[in-house]
Amino acid sequence: MFANYLIGLREGLEASLVVCILIAYLVKTDRRDALKPIWIGIAIAVGLALGFGCALEFGSQELTFEAQEALGGSLSIIAVGLVTWMVFWMRRTARHLKADLHGKLDAALQMGTGALVATAFLAVGREGLETSLFVWTSVRASSDGTEGPLIGVLLGIATAVVLGYLFYRGALRINLAKFFTWTGAMLVVVAAGVLAYGFHDLQEADFLPGLTNKAFDISETIPPDSWYGTLLKGVFNFQPDPTVLQVVVWSLYLVPTLAFFLAPSRPGKDRAKPAAAPVREEV
């Protein structure tokens, strides 16, 4: 449940910050007449994300078991790729996000209502589609037959909405660069589990070999139905009897990705960039 809460919090907060930046800029520049098109674009983006999530959930139920596993495994790999790109992108652009959005909004204001709707839709829609896909694959990977994973996601999104509102009102300030760095690192760990589970799905679909070739089996030491087994599965997508392929994929993804993500930026590269607004600046 914690892993899914983290996904909802991280992804939801990104979307909330985007919305806050757009709305706050229009209010501060006395362009409240442009708020309606922005909210329309946001609503369309949210509706698209919800529709995409529903299509994944209900559409997959009509497939055979092998087809479900093949679809789930393939989408898990795609979701991990998107999330990996997203955490690295946010790490690079967190300091410049506000300025970039302001620039796009200025251009849209000059072009008219349609451009405003499109700007809000594109800014929020990408986050929404990524969230829907990764949440679906993560909930599927960590599902234990209960509503816990989904509840975790919803609680994370609700927390993100509250934090976004507090940012907007100026009641809360945090170092967003550090926040996105540490939550991004934890999200990489979660993504490694989702990736390993995705490859296991492809093995169950007979798309990849090695389903019976277990790397180890510690089910007696860590029973899957024990409280600590459930906790490990919910947080890390831990499996007590993974296949060799799962362990190899998990290791090859997690170790280099986490090392590159946590590596400090090169000083020369940072100096080459123009000065940006402080990350702690009120949105």
Side-chain angles (χ1 to χ4, degrees):
M1 183 173 177
F2 173 76
N4 296 288
Y5 175 83
L6 174 65
I7 294 169
L9 174 62
R10 163 80 189 218
E11 300 291 314
L13 187 58
E14 285 189 28
S16 295
L17 288 175
V18 169
V19 172
C20 288
I21 290 171
L22 294 175
I23 299 301
Y25 185 63
L26 291 176
V27 171
K28 290 180 179 179
T29 55
D30 198 24
R31 290 302 307 269
R32 293 178 181 271
D33 57 300
L35 288 176
K36 184 176 179 180
I38 292 295
W39 283 117
I40 291 175
I42 292 170
I44 295 174
V46 171
L48 178 63
L50 291 175
F52 181 55
C54 290
L56 289 174
E57 177 63 23
F58 297 111
S60 63
Q61 294 178 4
E62 302 299 324
L63 302 175
T64 63
F65 173 78
E66 289 77 11
Q68 286 183 17
E69 297 303 301
L71 176 65
S74 301
L75 291 180
S76 293
I77 295 171
I78 293 173
V80 169
L82 289 174
V83 167
T84 304
W85 173 83
M86 177 269 297
V87 295
F88 276 95
W89 176 83
M90 181 55 74
R91 184 175 183 267
R92 291 195 310 269
T93 61
R95 295 179 179 274
H96 311 281
L97 179 63
K98 186 175 181 179
D100 289 345
L101 287 174
H102 284 178
K104 292 178 181 178
L105 199 53
D106 283 335
L109 284 168
Q110 296 178 3
M111 297 174 66
T113 301
L116 287 170
V117 173
T119 299
F121 171 77
L122 293 175
V124 179
R126 179 182 62 82
E127 301 289 348
L129 292 176
E130 285 180 359
T131 302
S132 293
L133 179 57
F134 194 54
V135 163
W136 184 80
T137 55
S138 179
V139 168
R140 189 172 183 274
S142 61
S143 179
D144 55 3
T146 69
E147 301 298 325
L150 183 58
I151 292 175
V153 171
L154 295 177
L155 288 175
I157 293 175
T159 303
V161 171
V162 172
L163 291 176
Y165 177 76
L166 293 176
F167 284 138
Y168 176 75
R169 302 301 300 179
L172 181 65
R173 291 172 180 242
I174 64 173
N175 189 317
L176 293 178
K178 289 184 177 180
F179 174 85
F180 284 122
T181 295
W182 288 109
T183 57
M186 289 187 285
L187 208 56
V188 167
V189 175
V190 173
V194 172
L195 184 64
Y197 188 87
F199 273 81
H200 184 264
D201 279 349
L202 294 179
Q203 288 179 308
E204 288 193 325
D206 290 331
F207 190 79
L208 293 175
L211 181 61
T212 59
N213 189 12
K214 302 293 184 181
F216 54 83
D217 189 347
I218 54 175
S219 301
E220 294 185 0
T221 305
I222 306 179
D225 56 351
S226 63
W227 69 267
Y228 45 92
T230 302
L231 179 64
L232 289 172
K233 181 176 178 61
V235 176
F236 302 109
N237 288 312
F238 173 79
Q239 184 177 336
D241 57 344
T243 64
V244 172
L245 180 60
Q246 283 183 273
V247 174
V248 170
V249 167
W250 184 87
S251 302
L252 290 178
Y253 170 81
L254 180 64
V255 176
T257 303
L258 205 55
F260 278 116
F261 183 75
L262 294 178
S265 302
R266 288 177 292 179
K269 189 174 182 180
D270 289 340
R271 284 195 298 266
K273 293 180 179 179
V279 177
R280 290 180 180 272
E281 186 178 355
E282 179 184 343
V283 299

